[in-house]
């Protein structure tokens, strides 16, 4: 395993320079500069002709920049960005983020420019993120180089997920959508062409970062596949690691003369390898965000028995189907409630309620009844995790249920996952739950899937329990 | 590479292209059992066998890829019929060696264990429901090599046939013993290094306390 790179100054720079900053509206150099100005730290614009930019004195060239600049964001086109990168490296700036595309991904002269960047790595101590990247977004540091819409107002409050993505767009669009229901972001890292810093460097960094509680990755090509797995496996011993690997590799094509080769299919080897190293695999951007969102916040259950509380029989039945769906890797089971639990439920539930799991409080449910029922089910020794359906349409349910459930959660010794639906107010409600550390989803399928990821995480951590 | 494995590579009858008898010999270096057997050169007289009837006689050559389909395998041959079976196969596969093995009485339950090289992750090992329908069921699990026996047990647990290892309808196949075969296969793939391409043990048969390689094919990189 390579030595760990010290990325603290990249993710927490003393000062930042924007090469190619400009006052011209709509330009990437303006958007990045303007966004970075929101932070307290000094931000220095570099431009050959504009003397002042948004009221700040501009530097004519990189060599004039003060020594405290830890990160240079380069917002010009590939050719001038390469020259600027060379100037930044010569000036001793430790981290460079060339934003522009037009490098190796276009071949030809672009590849030659990327070779010049690679050369800098051999001759100087400078490290490069990118090129062809949206760069960084670290909410707690107010460090944001993303020049497209990215749900930044919601994500600004920060959280525990380190999100590392080869494709900036996948990360930005998916997180932007997920931020509607609340998402705790520790850091967004767009890797781009990975001329230097890659997944392994950032996994090693976030492994030791106390604020990071889950690492989520979107990857395509993994030229150092085994090193990636080693780093992810080491990280997974300490915190959840979720990976979306796109671009199923044609292993079989190269190996079709054996049964084994034909059976490898699209990417069964990847699934097996991920399991071996304790990596949780997901298959689309919604799953990636959902898994990271819940694994960063909710502690895993000690087992796989699910207790369900619902104010509507249909939701309880659907949830039961999803819980009992065959899954050879992470099988879930419906908990069998103890007679004492059913007696407790009988004392709070309305006359026609079903007191067996899934518990159906009927449309006569009230806020207090829901809280009491969740508490009773969670305290049953045969239950490992509680799934509560919170519908706000029943007349006895009020907005106060959010406060009540959020107040209950810290008292519970077992994890709680919600399904919440309330027409056009659903996302707002889920966000409020999230603000209080209660993770909910707008559908049964997504909620039970989240339960499965938590149980899978428990499997992974118990495998390493007691291991060195 | 161990001296034993290096010597094995050197000893191949057709360089770079091991036949079934040779592949089973390589597996034996890693503790994987196979039926007792002898390889006969095309003009070699049948020696005194150290194992009893019934026998299996098969054509044993890297040139014959589909020996079952070409009727290159004769099963349950009694001692009295052995010479005829050998003569029959020699007539139909002139110039090819034969393999004479003991015909083990097994449960009939079969798995496949294999290995290959993944483009991104390197050598990997596979286990699955075996036999001739393997590619129809596609009930398989993979891990990277080397794969420890503990991890191999978890692989087996992912298969649809996993209940057969824990008492389904009175059947209890030995997962730990099969895991040994998986781990050994993965280690062989690793030890062959750059020379390794693909390996199938299909089927590996349930012999109660052990799993036995009934057929095996190994493709090396040249």
């Amino acid at each position: 395993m390579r030595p760990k790179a010290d990325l603290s100054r990249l993710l927490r720079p003393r000062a930042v320079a924007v090469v190619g900053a400009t006052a011209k509206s709509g330009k990437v150099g303006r958007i990045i500069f303007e966004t970075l100005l929101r932070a307290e730290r000094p931000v220095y614009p570099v431009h050959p002709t504009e003397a002042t930019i948004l009221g700040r004195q501009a530097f004519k060239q990189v060599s004039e920049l003060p020594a405290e600049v830890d990160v240079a964001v380069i917002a010009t086109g590939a050719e001038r960005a390469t020259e600027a990168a060379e100037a930044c490296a010569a000036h001793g700036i430790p981290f460079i983020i060339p934003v522009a595309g037009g490098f190796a991904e276009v071949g030809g002269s672009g590849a030659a420019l990327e070779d010049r960047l690679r050369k800098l790595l051999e001759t100087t101590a400078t490290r490069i993120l990118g090129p062809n990247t949206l760069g960084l977004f670290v909410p707690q540091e107010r460090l944001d180089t993303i020049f497209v819409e990215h749900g930044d107002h919601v994500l600004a409050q920060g959280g525990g997920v380190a999100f590392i993505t080869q494709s900036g767009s996948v990360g930005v669009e998916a997180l932007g959508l997920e931020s509607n229901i609340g998402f705790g972001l520790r850091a967004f890292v767009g890797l781009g062409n990975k001329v230097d810093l890659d997944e392994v460097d950032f996994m090693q960094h976030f492994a030791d970062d106390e604020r990071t509680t889950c690492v989520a990755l979107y990857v395509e090509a993994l030229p150092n596949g085994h090193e990636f797995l080693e780093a992810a496996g080491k990280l997974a011993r300490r915190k959840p690691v979720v990976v979306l690997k796109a671009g199923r590799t044609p292993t079989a094509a190269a190996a079709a003369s054996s049964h084994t080769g034909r059976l490898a299919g699209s990417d069964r080897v990847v699934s097996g390898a991920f399991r071996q190293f304790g990596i949780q695999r997901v298959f689309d951007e919604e799953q990636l965000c959902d898994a990271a969102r819940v694994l960063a916040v909710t502690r895993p259950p000690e087992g796989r028995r699910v207790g369900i509380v619902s104010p509507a029989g249909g939701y309880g039945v659907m949830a039961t189907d999803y819980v009992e769906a065959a899954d050879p890797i992470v099988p879930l089971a419906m908990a069998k409630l103890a007679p004492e639990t059913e007696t407790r439920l009988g004392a709070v539930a309305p006359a026609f309620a079903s007191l067996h799991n899934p518990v159906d409080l009927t449309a006569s449910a009230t806020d207090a009844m829901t809280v009491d029922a969740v508490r009773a089910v969670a305290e049953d020794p045969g239950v490992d995790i509680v799934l509560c359906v919170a519908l706000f349409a029943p007349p006895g349910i009020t907005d106060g249920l959010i406060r009540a459930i959020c107040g209950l959660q810290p008292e519970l010794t077992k994890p709680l996952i919600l399904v919440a639906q309330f027409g056009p107010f659903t996302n707002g409600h889920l966000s409020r739950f999230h603000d209080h550390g209660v993770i909910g989803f707008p559908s049964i399928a997504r909620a039970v899937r989240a339960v499965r990821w938590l149980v899978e995480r428990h499997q992974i951590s118990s495998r390493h329990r007691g291991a060195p | 590479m161990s001296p034993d494995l290096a010597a094995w590579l050197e000893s191949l009858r057709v360089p770079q292209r091991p036949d079934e008898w040779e592949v089973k010999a390589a597996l034996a270096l890693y503790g994987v059992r196979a039926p007792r057997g002898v390889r006969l050169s095309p003009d070699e007289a049948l020696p005194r066998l150290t194992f009893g009837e019934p026998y299996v006689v098969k054509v044993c050559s890297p040139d014959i890829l589909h020996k079952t389909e070409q009727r290159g395998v004769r099963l349950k041959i009694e001692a009295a019929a052995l010479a005829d079976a050998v003569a029959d196969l020699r007539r139909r596969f002139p110039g090819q060696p034969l393999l004479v093995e003991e015909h083990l009485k097994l449960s009939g339950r079969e798995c496949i264990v294999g290995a290959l090289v993944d483009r991104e992750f390197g050598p990997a090992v596979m286990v699955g429901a075996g036999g001739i329908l393997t590619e129809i069921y596609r009930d398989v699990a993979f891990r990277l090599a080397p794969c420890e026996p503990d991890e191999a047990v978890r692989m087996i647990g992912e298969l649809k046939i996993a209940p057969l290892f824990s008492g389904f309808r009175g059947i209890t196949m030995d997962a730990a013993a099969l895991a040994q075969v998986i781990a050994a296969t993965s280690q062989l793939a690793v030890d062959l290094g750059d020379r390794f391409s693909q390996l199938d043990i299909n089927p590996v048969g349930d012999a109660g306390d052990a799993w036995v390689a009934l057929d095996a094919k190994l493709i090396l990189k040249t």
Side-chain angles (χ1 to χ4, degrees):
Chain A
M1 183 72 59
R2 72 181 78 169
K4 183 185 161 188
D6 183 357
L7 303 180
S8 50
R9 288 275 166 241
L10 171 64
L11 297 161
R12 199 177 183 181
R14 288 168 300 174
V16 179
V18 180
V19 181
T22 174
K24 286 190 196 121
S25 66
K27 290 278 191 186
V28 168
R30 157 129 188 190
I31 300 169
I32 293 175
F33 183 59
E34 207 166 15
T35 311
L36 286 169
L37 282 177
R38 288 185 205 153
E40 308 275 310
R41 80 173 60 74
V43 185
Y44 304 115
V46 180
H47 196 280
T49 54
E50 294 182 41
T52 58
I53 298 170
L54 305 180
R56 307 283 170 127
Q57 183 87 44
F59 292 79
K60 275 204 166 5
Q61 46 196 358
V62 166
S63 59
E64 296 166 1
L65 284 167
E68 59 172 357
V69 171
D70 289 319
V71 175
V73 184
I74 304 177
T76 61
E79 182 133 17
R80 286 177 54 198
T82 305
E83 287 159 19
E86 285 163 348
C88 289
H91 192 53
I93 295 174
F95 294 98
I96 305 177
I97 307 176
V99 169
F103 288 91
E105 80 279 8
V106 298
S109 59
L113 292 175
E114 195 157 313
D115 284 339
R116 278 169 64 187
L117 292 181
R118 203 168 280 116
K119 195 110 200 153
L120 294 180
L121 304 169
E122 294 162 15
T123 53
T124 71
T126 293
R127 307 299 306 258
I128 299 175
L129 175 62
N132 188 20
T133 175
L134 290 172
L136 295 171
F137 177 25
V138 188
Q140 281 133 337
E141 300 296 333
R142 295 259 177 280
L143 176 65
D144 187 353
T145 70
I146 303 177
F147 50 89
V148 297
E149 173 54 44
H150 52 292
D152 51 336
H153 295 293
V154 178
L155 295 172
Q157 58 190 344
V161 180
F163 199 99
I164 304 166
T165 175
Q166 187 168 345
S167 155
S169 298
V170 170
V172 160
E173 301 293 350
L175 283 177
L177 186 59
E178 191 85 357
S179 71
N180 287 331
I181 57 171
F183 190 90
L185 184 69
R186 171 69 180 118
F188 170 95
V189 180
L191 294 173
N193 289 7
K194 300 193 276 192
V195 68
D196 177 20
L197 297 172
D198 65 9
E199 291 88 355
V200 172
D201 297 304
F202 283 97
M203 283 193 285
Q204 289 177 333
H205 174 85
F206 289 118
D208 292 330
D209 178 54
E210 278 175 19
R211 282 178 165 179
T212 300
T213 53
C214 175
V215 178
L217 298 107
Y218 171 85
V219 300
E220 289 167 9
L222 288 174
N224 306 316
H226 220 279
E227 194 187 20
F228 173 88
L229 291 176
E230 296 279 349
K234 214 167 155 207
L235 175 58
R237 288 172 176 245
R238 299 170 65 180
K239 32 193 102 167
V241 181
V242 191
V243 178
L244 168 56
K245 185 177 185 318
R248 315 276 172 96
T249 55
T251 302
S257 50
S258 66
H259 288 289
T260 306
R262 288 189 290 269
L263 287 164
S266 49
D267 65 351
R268 288 168 190 235
V269 179
V270 176
S271 285
F274 279 15
R275 264 177 232 132
Q276 195 170 4
F277 285 82
I279 302 164
Q280 298 186 249
R281 186 172 196 196
V282 294
F283 294 91
D284 64 35
E285 77 286 5
E286 181 186 80
Q287 291 181 20
L288 182 63
C289 293
D290 277 4
R293 182 173 179 264
V294 69
L295 288 165
V297 173
T298 309
R299 71 174 172 282
E302 291 295 315
R304 59 192 188 89
R305 299 166 301 176
V306 185
I308 297 171
V309 176
S310 164
Y315 280 80
V317 174
M318 274 197 289
T320 303
D321 285 346
Y322 277 104
V323 165
E324 293 185 333
D327 185 320
I329 315 298
V330 191
L332 299 178
M334 287 295 284
K336 186 166 173 14
L337 298 179
E340 304 80 62
T341 306
E342 299 194 352
T343 306
R344 271 178 77 180
L345 288 166
V348 300
F352 300 110
S354 165
L355 307 179
H356 306 303
N357 192 23
V359 177
D360 174 13
L361 296 175
T362 76
S364 305
T366 65
D367 299 351
M369 218 183 269
T370 306
V371 167
D372 288 343
V374 168
R375 190 195 305 274
V377 170
E379 289 175 359
D380 187 303
V383 171
D384 297 308
I385 182 168
V386 181
L387 181 73
C388 172
V389 180
L391 305 177
F392 290 82
I397 300 288
T398 73
D399 194 73
L401 181 62
I402 298 178
R403 211 167 40 251
I405 287 179
C406 293
L408 168 67
Q409 170 166 277
E411 299 169 25
L412 301 179
T413 56
K414 292 169 191 167
L416 168 67
I417 293 294
L418 285 185
V419 176
Q421 288 184 353
F422 192 29
F425 310 108
T426 300
N427 286 350
H429 278 45
L430 288 168
S431 282
R432 286 166 63 196
F433 278 117
H434 182 266
D435 289 345
H436 292 92
V438 177
I439 299 297
F441 294 92
S443 77
I444 293 282
R446 285 169 74 180
V448 175
R449 211 164 62 182
V451 169
R452 225 176 269 282
W453 284 316
L454 288 169
V455 173
E456 184 180 38
R457 178 60 197 166
H458 167 69
Q459 291 175 349
I460 291 165
S461 16
S462 44
R463 221 194 289 166
H464 295 307
R465 217 169 271 170
Chain B
M1 194 178 295
S2 72
D4 284 350
L5 190 60
W8 174 84
L9 270 175
E10 282 302 307
S11 73
L12 297 180
R13 190 181 63 87
V14 181
Q16 320 293 352
R17 299 178 65 209
D19 63 30
E20 178 182 343
W21 185 81
E22 289 164 334
V23 177
K24 286 174 172 172
L27 288 167
L29 295 175
Y30 290 79
V32 178
R33 279 177 51 186
R36 284 176 291 180
V38 294
R39 182 178 60 180
L40 299 182
S41 302
D43 44 7
E44 187 178 348
L46 199 60
R48 232 184 99 80
L49 298 175
T50 57
F51 45 88
E53 62 178 6
Y55 302 107
V56 176
V57 187
K58 349 177 170 181
V59 60
C60 179
S61 163
D63 298 328
I64 312 289
L65 281 177
H66 304 286
K67 56 182 177 289
T68 305
E69 288 82 342
Q70 296 178 37
R71 294 189 304 116
V73 181
R74 301 273 311 263
L75 300 171
K76 285 190 195 165
I77 306 295
E78 291 177 0
L82 184 56
D84 281 351
V86 167
D88 169 51
L89 284 176
R90 280 185 171 155
R91 189 171 58 249
R92 290 191 290 114
F93 298 94
Q96 300 290 7
L98 302 181
L99 178 57
V100 180
E101 287 184 329
E102 60 182 334
H103 185 115
L104 296 175
K105 291 179 195 69
L106 302 181
S107 66
R109 289 181 283 272
E110 298 177 334
C111 286
I112 177 172
V113 173
L116 51 68
V117 181
D118 180 80
R119 205 180 56 181
E120 283 180 302
F121 298 117
V125 66
M126 180 194 85
V127 65
I132 54 171
L133 299 181
T134 290
E135 289 184 38
I136 293 175
Y137 294 137
R138 305 189 77 80
D139 182 19
V140 295
F142 282 87
R143 289 293 187 273
L144 297 193
C147 173
E148 302 294 323
D150 283 359
E151 190 66 39
V153 168
R154 281 192 283 275
M155 282 171 85
I156 296 166
E158 290 174 11
L159 300 176
K160 293 196 191 84
I161 58 164
L164 296 177
F165 291 86
S166 51
F168 175 78
R169 299 187 73 145
I171 297 169
T172 303
M173 305 196 295
D174 191 336
L178 183 58
Q180 291 296 337
V181 176
I182 298 166
T185 301
S186 79
Q187 193 60 51
L188 172 60
V190 169
D191 290 350
L192 283 168
D194 291 344
R195 305 293 302 279
F196 178 71
S197 175
Q198 300 160 62
L199 171 64
D200 279 338
I201 313 176
N202 189 30
V204 50
D206 174 20
D209 59 343
W211 287 79
V212 182
L214 297 178
D215 194 0
K217 182 163 80 174
L218 170 63
I219 299 167
L220 295 174
K221 271 198 200 115
T222 49

